[in-house]
Amino acid sequence: MTIKVAIAEDFGLVRREIISLLNELDTIDVVAEFTDGQELLSYLASHPVDVALLDCDMPGLGGVGTCLKMMENRLD
């Protein structure tokens, strides 16, 4: 079973390093990457993932706000 991961991280170097590390694992598939939480939420509306890695401090919608919105959407 492959774990589908989406990443929201505004700093490109950090995002690329995380993706590089995760891509070394056979059981992980990084399916999408974003620079803010709103982009991630738009993607998740039609593309479910198993794990979302969120940067807490992003411009616009940060990780905590994104996580709260993800929980709200799941309860709807």
Side-chain angles (χ1 to χ4, degrees), residues 3 6 19 27 33 39-40 42-43 50 53-54 57 66 72:
I3 300 167
I19 292 168
T27 57
E33 59 180 281
E39 292 175 346
L40 172 66
S42 295
Y43 177 83
D50 299 308
L53 294 178
L54 308 169
D57 186 27
T66 302
E72 287 172 9

Side-chain angles (χ1 to χ4, degrees), residues 38-53:
Q38 191 57 53
E39 292 175 346
L40 172 66
L41 290 174
S42 295
Y43 177 83
L44 292 178
S46 57
H47 302 89
V49 299
D50 299 308
V51 175
L53 294 178

